[in-house]
Amino acid sequence: MDYLQYLRKDKMPHIWCDGCGHGIVLKSILRVIDKLGWDKNNIAMISGIGCSSRTPGYVDFNTLHTTHGRGLTFATGLKIARPDLHVIVVSGDGDATAIGGNHFIHAARRNIDISVIIYNNYIYGMTGGQVSPTTPGGKKASTTPYGNPDTPFDISRLAQAAGAAYVARSTAFHVGKMDRYIEQAFTKTGFSVVEVLTPCPTSYGRRNKEGRGVDMLMYQKQNSIGIEQAKGKTAEELKGKYITGVFVDKEQADYRQRYDEVIKKASKLNK
Amino acid sequence: MKKNAEITINEQWCKSCEICVAFCPQKVYEMGRFYPKIVRPEDCTACMLCEKLCPDFAITVTVPDKIEKSQ
Ligand SMILES: Cc1ncc(C[n+]2csc(CCOP(=O)(O)OP(=O)(O)O)c2C)c(N)n1
Ligand code: SF4
Ligand code: SF4
Ligand code: SF4
């Protein structure tokens, strides 16, 4: 497949470090868009700030690079004004669940028809490796040099609890699964989330002695387990394992349908 | 006659991460001084894994059959 037709070639090569998984996730997004045959002019890709949030800068769609954690707020306004557009938000674990955490849970609760791809590398990559809400307990970050004392968020479970219509998690290594989940998310009406676990060798791997990007992908290859197989296993057995699969896939009225109802009621009353 | 897939590496974009070298199931690549070298192109099955995993859009694998069909 020709990826270059979707890229702003003058912006390449991208800034991501050698072995960073973000480029692998972007490729999966582009493969799905190509398969669905979407017109570039009908796609809007929106982000906040972070290495992951650099993605819209490289793609030849309608793009918005907004403020940290606020990609979803701009996307919400855009989707309400232009419901005909395919609105995709790309975000990092810090962008989506630290500074933008509230926007994330409320967008899920509202079930607005937006797809969010979260590149979860357990760290603030761009700013040099500060601890993030998904850094596993005990892991090192520049702000937790003796190990993280906090319990991490499970982004997929968070999205599920907040009411998203579709939630799935893949690793960057498992490209087949990643493609399938992103396609399901893009074709879902309602709020859809795909969490992709992706290596940040520079700000996370190095500090935690996990090696280069290639080593971190090898770990993903050898230590991932499907939701079904994970059922019935103890916390001890699942330690260090990545649980992947589809967490939620349900039909429910999206924000637009519910808002149309409100408009109908209001216009009857005001006649 | 079986035609081989054609592999190209854009050295301007490659960042020498060695992901293609590590994951090609057919061991088509070996690492060179700066860039991967395509040492066993005849073993390539066009599985596309290296192209999908290369984070830098540096690898293109072209399958001859598909080219013929589309022309
Ligand atoms: C309001 C605001 N606060 C802080 C920052 C600094 N900042 C830039 S990127 C970033 C973290 C990004 O982490 P994440 O979203 O996980 O993305 P990654 O870089 O790991 O892909 C921070 C804190 C900022 N740009 N704006
Ligand atoms: S700092 Fe980490 S997340 Fe950012 S480009 Fe480098 S490897 Fe990727
Ligand atoms: S995967 Fe891509 S960037 Fe990495 S060494 Fe191979 S060609 Fe270069
Ligand atoms: S297409 Fe598959 S077999 Fe061919 S070089 Fe790439 S990974 Fe190896």
Side-chain angles (χ1 to χ4, degrees):
Chain A
M1 163 201 157
D2 175 21
Y3 295 94
L4 300 192
Q5 63 182 307
Y6 299 107
L7 293 181
R8 294 178 180 150
K9 289 187 276 296
D10 56 322
K11 296 283 189 295
M12 295 292 288
H14 56 58
I15 58 155
W16 297 319
C17 308
D18 96 80
C20 174
H22 289 357
I24 305 177
V25 187
L26 170 56
K27 275 189 156 169
S28 178
I29 293 173
L30 297 182
R31 276 196 299 279
V32 172
I33 286 172
D34 193 68
K35 181 175 171 200
L36 295 173
W38 285 357
D39 182 337
K40 291 200 264 189
N41 295 318
N42 292 337
I43 302 169
M45 188 183 269
I46 300 161
S47 70
I49 302 290
C51 296
S52 33
S53 295
R54 296 292 295 231
T55 306
Y58 300 113
V59 292
D60 188 22
F61 308 137
N62 302 289
T63 59
L64 284 172
H65 190 197
T66 74
T67 52
H68 198 18
R70 270 68 192 189
L72 273 168
T73 65
F74 287 80
T76 299
L78 180 62
K79 186 69 192 181
I80 290 170
R82 288 287 306 274
D84 56 308
L85 292 178
H86 301 294
V87 178
I88 303 166
V89 172
V90 288
S91 187
D93 44 293
D95 192 70
T97 65
I99 193 167
N102 235 358
H103 299 304
F104 179 61
I105 54 175
H106 290 286
R109 182 174 66 86
R110 183 176 266 162
N111 196 36
I112 188 156
D113 187 21
I114 291 172
S115 300
V116 191
I117 312 299
I118 301 183
Y119 304 41
N120 180 5
N121 56 11
Y122 326 111
I123 203 83
Y124 290 3
M126 175 164 268
T127 43
Q130 293 79 5
V131 75
S132 107
T134 63
T135 309
K139 291 290 184 178
K140 287 182 183 161
S142 66
T143 44
T144 59
Y146 303 102
N148 177 23
D150 293 337
T151 306
F153 267 148
D154 178 327
I155 294 181
S156 292
R157 298 273 184 221
L158 185 67
Q160 175 175 23
Y166 180 88
V167 182
R169 175 162 58 216
S170 176
T171 70
F173 174 79
H174 294 92
V175 282
K177 270 194 181 180
M178 178 164 50
D179 286 14
R180 206 158 60 240
Y181 299 162
I182 291 177
E183 181 179 346
Q184 285 167 359
F186 282 0
T187 49
K188 187 83 194 174
T189 302
F191 194 71
S192 54
V193 180
V194 180
E195 176 192 2
V196 183
L197 307 176
T198 167
C200 167
T202 305
S203 294
Y204 183 83
R206 200 164 39 112
R207 198 169 268 115
N208 286 293
K209 308 228 171 342
E210 293 185 9
R212 303 174 63 192
V214 58
D215 304 310
M216 295 172 82
L217 287 174
M218 192 59 87
Y219 186 90
Q220 291 191 338
K221 180 179 179 182
Q222 293 163 348
N223 292 282
S224 298
I225 175 168
I227 298 177
E228 289 308 316
Q229 293 128 278
K231 268 186 196 145
K233 289 218 167 25
T234 62
E236 194 51 42
E237 287 169 312
L238 293 173
K239 204 163 178 257
K241 296 266 186 260
Y242 298 129
I243 301 171
T244 61
V246 179
F247 288 75
V248 186
D249 188 356
K250 59 179 180 186
E251 301 304 325
Q252 56 186 14
D254 76 329
Y255 188 61
R256 178 139 191 256
Q257 287 166 279
R258 296 202 285 236
Y259 206 82
D260 282 348
E261 288 300 313
V262 172
I263 292 172
K264 251 191 243 161
K265 265 190 211 158
S267 34
K268 258 188 220 152
L269 287 178
N270 291 320
K271 245 177 216 159
Chain B
M1 200 185 84
K2 172 182 167 270
K3 273 202 206 144
N4 286 320
E6 204 171 294
I7 307 165
T8 57
I9 295 177
N10 178 352
E11 295 184 354
Q12 302 289 316
W13 290 7
C14 169
K15 294 188 186 133
S16 318
C17 68
E18 300 186 46
I19 288 171
C20 53
V21 181
F23 293 108
C24 168
Q26 304 300 322
K27 305 257 172 286
V28 166
Y29 304 98
E30 277 175 19
M31 198 55 197
R33 174 87 173 84
F34 295 112
Y35 306 109
K37 289 186 292 193
I38 305 160
V39 289
R40 281 173 283 274
E42 66 283 1
D43 291 352
C44 173
T45 57
C47 72
M48 308 310 265
L49 188 61
C50 57
E51 193 188 272
K52 289 179 182 173
L53 284 178
C54 170
D56 288 277
F57 296 84
I59 297 184
T60 315
V61 179
T62 322
V63 188
D65 261 348
K66 285 209 179 132
I67 300 169
E68 276 162 25
K69 261 184 220 150
S70 67
Q71 270 167 0

